Amino acid sequence: MNILFAGAPDNWPRYEASLNAALTKAGITAHLSDMIAPDEVDYIIYAPNGPVQDFIPYTRAKAVLSLWAGVEKIVGNQTLRIPLTRMVDDGLSQGMKEWVAGHVLRHHLGMDADILNSDGSWVQHIPPLAQERPVTVLGLGALGQACASTLADLGFDVTGWSRSAKTVPGIKCLSGDAGLRAALASAEIIVLLLPFTPQTENILNAETLALLPRGAVVINPGRGPLIDDDALLASLDSGHISHATLDVFRVEPLPKDHPFWAHPNITVTPHIAADTRPSTAAKVIAENIRRNEAGEALLYLVDRGAGY
Ligand code: NDP
Ligand code: OXD
C-alpha cells in the first residue's frame, strides 16, 4: 500500500516518524512518502497548503485524509470523487481548549488593566465570578463542545449554538435562527467555532453584532469569513463591542496594512489557536486507514453537501 503525504512540504519531517510509528502500531504495512507517482497512491494525507489540489490523476486512491479540521478549501473541489475525512484529534482539541480558555479569562478577569498598569496607580478592578459571566460558543462540534465544556468546568454560564439540536451536560444548547438570537443576546463573551460554509459566512454582521450586549468581547478562532470585517470595525469604534481577539482572517497572513493590526481594541494571533500535532494526528490517520482496509466506516467523514 502507498500513502502519499501531501501536507505542507515543510511539515513532512515533522510527520514522517509519527506516521510510520502509528501505521506500524495499527498493523498497516505501507510505503509512506511525500513523493509517489499519482496512479500508485492508495491514500492521500492532505492539507490545503500542500502540493495536491487536482485529484484526477490519483486513479486508485481510496480516501483523502485531511490534517486540518476546517475543510472549506477542499470540500467543493470537483476533482475529488472519493471520501474525504477531516481532522479530529486530542492534540487539536487540547490546544483549542487552552487558547480559548486563556483568551476568555484574559477578558473576564480584565487582565490588561493590571498588565499595562505601570504608573503605580492602586485601582482594584474586582471581576465578577465566572458563574456571573455569560459566554456563548457558536458551533458545538468537536472543538466547540470541548471548549464549551472547559469554560463550564471553570464555572462560566455557557450557552452553545449549533445547526442541529444538541444536549451537552452543563451547557445551555440552542439551535436555529431563534436560538442564535437568544445565544447572542446574553453573550458578554462570544467564541466562534463554526466552519466556514455559505450558511455561516458573515454570521457576525452589523445586525447580529448589534444583538450582543454593549461591551461584549468577540473571540474568533473559527474562520475569518464568519465575521463581516467592516461591521466589526464599526462596532468596535462605536464601543458596542469592547474587544475582538482574532486568530483567523479572510486573507492569511493578515496583510500588513490591514486595519486590524493597528486597532487598539483588536488582538491578532497568527492562526495558532490549535495546531494539528503529529503525535496525536498520526494515530487518527492510521486508524482511519485501518478501518477503511477492514471495511469499517471512516471516522470524521466530511458531509460534502453540508460543507463541513
Ligand atoms: P465540527 O464540524 O466538529 O463542528 C462544527 C459545528 O458547527 C457543529 O456543531 C455544527 O452543527 C455547527 N454548524 C455548522 N454549520 C452551522 C450553521 N449553518 N448553523 C449553526 N451551526 C452550524 O468542527 P470542529 O469543531 O472540529 O471545528 C470547527 C472549526 O474550527 C473548523 O471548521 C475550523 O474552521 C476551525 N479551526 C480553527 C483552528 C485554528 O487554529 N484557528 C484549528 C482547527 C479548527 P451540527 O453539530 O449541528 O453539525
Ligand atoms: C484547521 C486549522 O482547520 O488549523 O485544522 O485551522
Side-chain angles (χ1 to χ4, degrees), residues 67-72 87 92 143 221-223 247-248 271 274-276:
L67 290 173
W68 287 41
V71 287
E72 72 280 358
M87 183 51 63
L92 204 51
L143 297 176
R223 280 295 182 258
D247 183 59
V248 282
H271 200 143
D275 198 19
T276 305

Side-chain angles (χ1 to χ4, degrees), residues 5 12 16 23 29 101 174 181 187 197 203 210 219 284 298:
F5 180 86
W12 171 234
E16 186 179 2
L23 290 164
T29 307
L174 301 173
R181 296 177 83 80
T197 69
I203 196 147
I219 298 184
V284 179
L298 285 165

